[in-house]
Amino acid sequence: SQTIHQWPATLVQPVGSPLSLECTVEGTSNPNLYWYRQAAGRGLQLLFYSVGIGQISSEVPQNLSASRPQDRQFILSSKKLLLSDSGFYLCAWGGVTDEQYFGPGTRLTVT
Amino acid sequence: AQSVSQHNHHVILSEAASLELGCNYSYGGTVNLFWYVQYPGQHLQLLLKYFSGDPLVKGIKGFEAEFIKSKFSFNLRKPSVQWSDTAEYFCAVIDTGGFKTIFGAGTRLFVKA
């Protein structure tokens, strides 16, 4: 069965520091991969999606970037964090009828 | 642009009460529709989905949803809720052939025992 991992689970970082969040998927090949940010009362905001290695689409101009160095690895990065980057970040992969399977998420607090 | 509207942000029910959570979307083309649920402390997970066929779809734990194309709606229902249904529920839509799923803002359901 398919499994999706995210780490770290929680992260506290100072403003201006770099960020790297990792997501890996097991049990499927060539998945569509997604990064979302979840804010209370505002649902999920799609940040990036990828349909293959090295292929990244950005949905929202922001302080973040994404990369897909391997088929089942998706990384969310920032060179310099802002306070507004705080939030709950979810990685997901897409099923054959477009359903999403989510990881456990990373709670990021920028101080 | 596509959007999804969930009518209630917070719902409080007693056990055995009936549940209906409203969801409307704006998009003129063919769509796939979903309800996701996030139980306290757990991953966001798929509750049910519609992509073709019978507009009344059944999901896990006794939930069902009806796709009414003329009303652009996909309301979630359960005849009798349980305390364990306390969770946040998200409606979502994607146009068929697209990559971008649009989520509603979510509805927090609290079921009193």
Side-chain angles (χ1 to χ4, degrees):
Chain A
S1 63
Q2 300 86 357
T3 307
I4 184 166
H5 302 280
Q6 285 186 247
W7 63 90
T10 60
L11 190 60
V12 180
Q13 292 282 98
V15 168
S17 64
L19 173 74
S20 181
L21 303 182
E22 190 163 344
C23 169
T24 58
V25 181
E26 296 177 359
T28 185
S29 296
N30 196 31
N32 291 341
L33 295 174
Y34 304 82
W35 277 111
Y36 290 91
R37 181 164 52 206
Q38 184 179 9
R42 298 175 64 182
L44 277 70
Q45 179 187 34
L46 179 63
L47 303 176
F48 301 94
Y49 68 88
S50 172
V51 299
I53 296 173
Q55 300 179 64
I56 307 295
S57 295
S58 174
E59 287 297 311
V60 182
Q62 60 210 331
N63 187 41
L64 302 169
S65 62
S67 62
R68 186 169 177 176
Q70 300 181 46
D71 181 44
R72 289 173 286 180
Q73 184 184 30
F74 203 23
I75 297 172
L76 183 69
S77 304
S78 174
K79 292 182 180 178
K80 289 186 178 182
L81 284 169
L82 305 172
L83 284 174
S84 57
D85 292 323
S86 293
F88 190 56
Y89 290 84
L90 288 167
C91 181
W93 67 273
V96 294
T97 50
D98 299 321
E99 69 272 26
Q100 306 267 284
Y101 296 96
F102 290 90
T106 295
R107 175 75 61 191
L108 172 66
T109 303
V110 182
T111 60
Chain B
Q2 290 180 328
S3 66
V4 176
S5 175
Q6 291 185 237
H7 305 162
N8 308 96
H9 294 297
H10 293 90
V11 174
I12 301 174
L13 295 173
S14 298
E15 275 195 314
S18 64
L19 170 72
E20 181 160 4
L21 300 182
C23 173
N24 286 89
Y25 67 95
S26 65
Y27 183 69
T30 304
V31 296
N32 292 342
L33 297 153
F34 311 88
W35 276 96
Y36 291 88
V37 60
Q38 190 167 32
Y39 297 104
Q42 296 189 25
H43 299 194
L44 193 62
Q45 60 184 284
L46 182 67
L47 189 60
L48 51 76
K49 61 185 178 184
Y50 170 83
F51 54 94
S52 65
D54 189 343
L56 183 63
V57 293
K58 296 188 184 297
I60 59 172
K61 302 186 180 183
F63 286 90
E64 65 179 30
E66 185 175 13
F67 172 45
I68 303 178
K69 189 175 182 179
S70 61
K71 295 185 177 180
F72 299 91
S73 70
F74 190 55
N75 292 354
L76 181 70
R77 299 193 293 248
K78 185 171 183 178
S80 176
V81 295
Q82 301 172 309
W83 175 82
S84 58
D85 294 324
T86 293
E88 189 162 17
Y89 294 81
F90 295 90
C91 182
V93 61
I94 186 171
D95 66 281
T96 55
F99 296 103
K100 184 177 177 180
T101 299
I102 307 298
F103 285 81
T107 298
R108 288 184 182 268
L109 171 66
F110 180 73
V111 180
K112 299 183 289 185

